[in-house]
C-alpha cells in the first residue's frame, strides 16, 4: 500500500515502523518516525522543563520514510534517513529529502550529537525552489546533582531571490539541580531568530516592516517526584518578542 494512502487515512499515527537487520550492527526501518532533529524531546517527561522551547516547536515533529541505523559500538550510533519531507507524512512533490543523526557518548555522564535535514518541500508546480538545510547540535550532561541540556539550530532556505537566502538561528540551554532525592529546581534560557519567517511565518511589526519571529525567553520551575514513574511540576515562563 502506498505510504500516501496510510498517511491520509491514519494521520493520527505518531510513530509506527518496522525493520529488518541487514548485518550484525546494521538495521533498516521504514514507516512513520518521531523527529530525529533537536536537543529536546517531544514529550514533557523527556525534558527538564514541561514546555518545549520555541526552536523545538519549529523543528520537524514527525517524519515518514526509511532509516538506516548503524551502531558499531556502545558509544557511537549513526542514522541515515530518506524522507518524504519536513513535517510531512505524504510526499507532496516527488522529491526525496535526506537527514543524518550521529551521537557519541563519552561516558555515562556526557553525550553529544549532530543532526540535519536537507530537502525541497515546494508543492508540485511551484516554480521557486525552496531547498532547506537544517542543522542541530546538542550536548547532554548529567551528574548526581546537575543535569544540563544544550542545543543550537541553524537553518538556511532558498528564496525567490537567489543571492538572498533566508536563515534561522536558535539556541536553548536548560539546567536542573537536584536539591533532594525527590525535589529539583530548573531554569531554561532560549533564543530564536527567524528574520524572514520561513519557519515561524511573517507579520507586520510596529514599524510597518514584514518580519519573522525574533524572541528571547526564560523558563523556571520546580519538580517533585513522589515515585520513579510520576512527577509534579510548577513552571513559569516569560517570552519577549520584538515589538
Amino acid at each position: 500500500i502506498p505510504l500516501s494512502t496510510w498517511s491520509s487515512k491514519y494521520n493520527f499515527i505518531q510513530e509506527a515502523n518496522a525493520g529488518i537487520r541487514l548485518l550484525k550492527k546494521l538495521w533498516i526501518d521504514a514507516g512513520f518516525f518521531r523527529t530525529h532533529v533537536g536537543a529536546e524531546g517531544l514529550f514533557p517527561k523527556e525534558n527538564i522543563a514541561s514546555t518545549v522551547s520555541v526552536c523545538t516547536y519549529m523543528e520537524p515533529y514527525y517524519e515518514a520514510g526509511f532509516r538506516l541505523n548503524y551502531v558499531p559500538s556502545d558509544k557511537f550510533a549513526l542514522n541515515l534517513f530518506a524522507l518524504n519531507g519536513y513535517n510531512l507524512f505524504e510526499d507532496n512533490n516527488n522529491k526525496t529529502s535526506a537527514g543524518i543523526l550521529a551521537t557519541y557518548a563519552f561516558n555515562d555522564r556526557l553525550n553529544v550529537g549532530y543532526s540535519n535535514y536537507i530537502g525541497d518541500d515546494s508543492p508540485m508546480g511551484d516554480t521557486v525552489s525552496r531547498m532547506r538545510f537544517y542543522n542541530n547540535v546538542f550536548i547532554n550532561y548529567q551528574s548526581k546533582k546537575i543535569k544540563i541540556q544544550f542545543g543550537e539550530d541553524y537553518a538556511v532556505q532558498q528564496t525567490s531571490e537567489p543571492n538572498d537566502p533566508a536563515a534561522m538561528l536558535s539556541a536553548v540551554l536548560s539546567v536542573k539541580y537536584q536539591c533532594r532525592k525527590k525535589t529539583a529546581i530548573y531554569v531554561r534560557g532560549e533564543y530564536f531568530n527567524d528574520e524572514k519567517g520561513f519557519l515561524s511565518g511573517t507579520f507586520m511589526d510596529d514599524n510597518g516592516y514584514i518580519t519573522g519571529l525574533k524572541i528571547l525567553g526564560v523558563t523556571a520551575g520546580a519538580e517533585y517526584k513522589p515515585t520513579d514513574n510520576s512527577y509534579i511540576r510548577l513552571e513559569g515562563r516569560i517570552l519577549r518578542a520584538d515589538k
Side-chain angles (χ1 to χ4, degrees), residues 15-55:
E15 187 175 18
N17 54 78
I20 58 173
R21 188 173 71 175
L22 302 177
L23 298 171
K24 184 177 181 180
K25 298 179 179 180
L26 184 66
W27 282 79
I28 187 168
D29 303 289
F32 304 130
F33 305 101
R34 293 174 56 188
T35 181
H36 70 284
V37 178
E40 294 181 319
L42 300 179
F43 302 127
K45 66 178 182 178
E46 299 172 331
N47 301 321
I48 292 175
S50 286
T51 55
V52 297
S53 63
V54 175
C55 59

Side-chain angles (χ1 to χ4, degrees), residues 109-174:
R109 293 186 175 186
L110 178 65
N111 69 78
V112 299
Y114 167 76
S115 61
N116 67 26
Y117 168 91
I118 183 167
D120 181 0
D121 296 326
S122 304
M124 192 79 72
D126 197 331
T127 58
V128 178
S129 175
R130 303 192 186 277
M131 182 65 71
R132 178 178 299 175
F133 185 36
Y134 199 107
N135 301 269
N136 166 262
V137 293
F138 62 86
I139 302 172
N140 291 308
Y141 173 81
Q142 183 166 2
S143 66
K144 187 175 181 180
K145 291 282 188 179
I146 300 290
K147 183 177 182 179
I148 300 174
Q149 190 177 53
F150 170 78
E152 183 172 3
D153 291 9
Y154 178 72
V156 291
Q157 179 171 297
Q158 289 179 319
T159 66
S160 56
E161 302 176 23
N163 298 322
D164 190 21
M168 183 280 298
L169 178 66
S170 66
V172 58
L173 174 64
S174 302

Side-chain angles (χ1 to χ4, degrees), residues 58-60 62 84-88 97 117 121 132 134 199:
M58 298 297 173
E59 291 165 352
Y62 46 77
N84 280 346
Y86 195 96
N87 262 350
L88 294 173
S97 301
Y117 168 91
D121 296 326
R132 178 178 299 175
Y134 199 107
L199 286 169

Side-chain angles (χ1 to χ4, degrees), residues 15 101 202 209:
E15 187 175 18
L101 170 61
T202 57
Y209 296 106

